[in-house]
Amino acid sequence: MEPAGEAGTLPRAFFAREVDEVARTLIGAELLVDGVGGTIVECEAYAPSDPASHAFRGQTPRNAAMFGPPGHAYVYRSYGIHWCLNLVCEPEGVASAVLLRALEPTRGLEAMRRRRGLDEARLLCAGPGRLCQALAVTGAHDGAALDAPPFELRAPARPPALVSGPRVGISRAQERPWRYGLAGSRFLSRPFSLPG
DNA sequence: CAGTGGATGCTCT
DNA sequence: GAGCATCCACTGT
């Protein structure tokens, strides 16, 4: 019985909205996996009918979680080496998701340093692959609910200042400014081009 | 600081 | 067989 500790957890309904709005609202939220994590400072929206989305060409075994209910994880392997964590949005079947790209580490720093083999806090979660390594997120979490252990997600106390820009590492639909960041954060995977 | 290439596995053509 | 929603080590200024 720990009602107080769960009071701020984001409900599944939080994710059942248009993905771009969810992405903006996630900046400043706290994400923990087994008690390890920090503040979300960078993420990207991947919408339905988005040529850069894994779901664009329809459902496959890999992207099946994107077609499932919102409020669940979609985890895929990137470049054969890294894992990337997405949060599924919108009504079930629409297949949109937010890719988490960077955290400001706040909890479990020692566990993250051990997993990453690094000391410098700035580099522990600065990038989607690094973030998953630091939080020990793998394909085993694909499809898992975000409002239950090992996940904890809490909204920010106050809306933070946002910056936006083109998404990173994609070749299609580069003109869509669906990358969001916490203004002034030193924990981004890379800087945003202009002050926003 | 910029640019290049290797590691490595899965999906889709 | 190509192409990745990446990261790191290495090169050269």
Side-chain angles (χ1 to χ4, degrees):
Chain A
M1 41 180 98
E2 48 175 39
E6 304 283 25
T9 299
L10 292 174
R12 293 191 191 186
F14 172 88
F15 295 97
R17 297 181 292 154
E18 194 272 323
V19 62
D20 196 47
E21 180 183 351
V22 176
R24 290 193 299 268
T25 317
L26 278 172
I27 298 298
E30 181 182 44
L31 168 71
L32 303 180
V33 180
D34 281 319
V36 175
T39 305
I40 298 172
V41 297
E42 183 184 342
C43 65
E44 291 175 350
Y46 286 85
S49 308
D50 176 358
S53 170
H54 286 176
F56 181 65
R57 291 175 180 81
Q59 186 170 347
T60 67
R62 175 179 69 158
N63 65 23
M66 286 188 78
F67 291 81
H72 289 241
Y74 164 47
V75 183
Y76 69 91
R77 200 185 273 283
S78 177
Y79 291 91
I81 303 173
H82 310 285
W83 296 102
C84 291
L85 172 62
N86 297 254
L87 312 183
V88 178
C89 298
E90 307 218 34
E92 180 167 356
V94 172
S96 66
V98 176
L99 170 69
L100 299 187
R101 288 194 54 89
L103 304 183
E104 174 176 347
T106 61
R107 300 275 305 273
L109 274 287
E110 286 315 307
M112 289 191 262
R113 289 190 170 106
R114 185 174 62 249
R115 292 162 178 168
R116 296 272 299 118
L118 284 173
D119 282 344
E120 195 176 348
R122 192 178 63 82
L123 297 176
L124 290 178
C125 302
R130 291 163 168 175
L131 186 161
C132 284
Q133 186 181 24
L135 272 58
V137 170
T138 70
H141 296 96
D142 188 38
L146 299 169
D147 62 353
F151 292 101
E152 294 175 69
L153 259 172
R154 275 179 279 275
R158 289 186 294 180
L162 300 184
V163 288
S164 66
R167 294 174 292 183
V168 176
I170 59 171
S171 55
R172 316 177 68 127
Q174 290 171 326
E175 74 285 359
R176 307 190 187 197
W178 287 343
R179 175 182 178 227
Y180 295 101
L182 178 62
S185 174
R186 55 181 274 260
F187 297 92
L188 301 173
S189 67
R190 45 187 293 189
F192 285 75
S193 49
L194 285 180

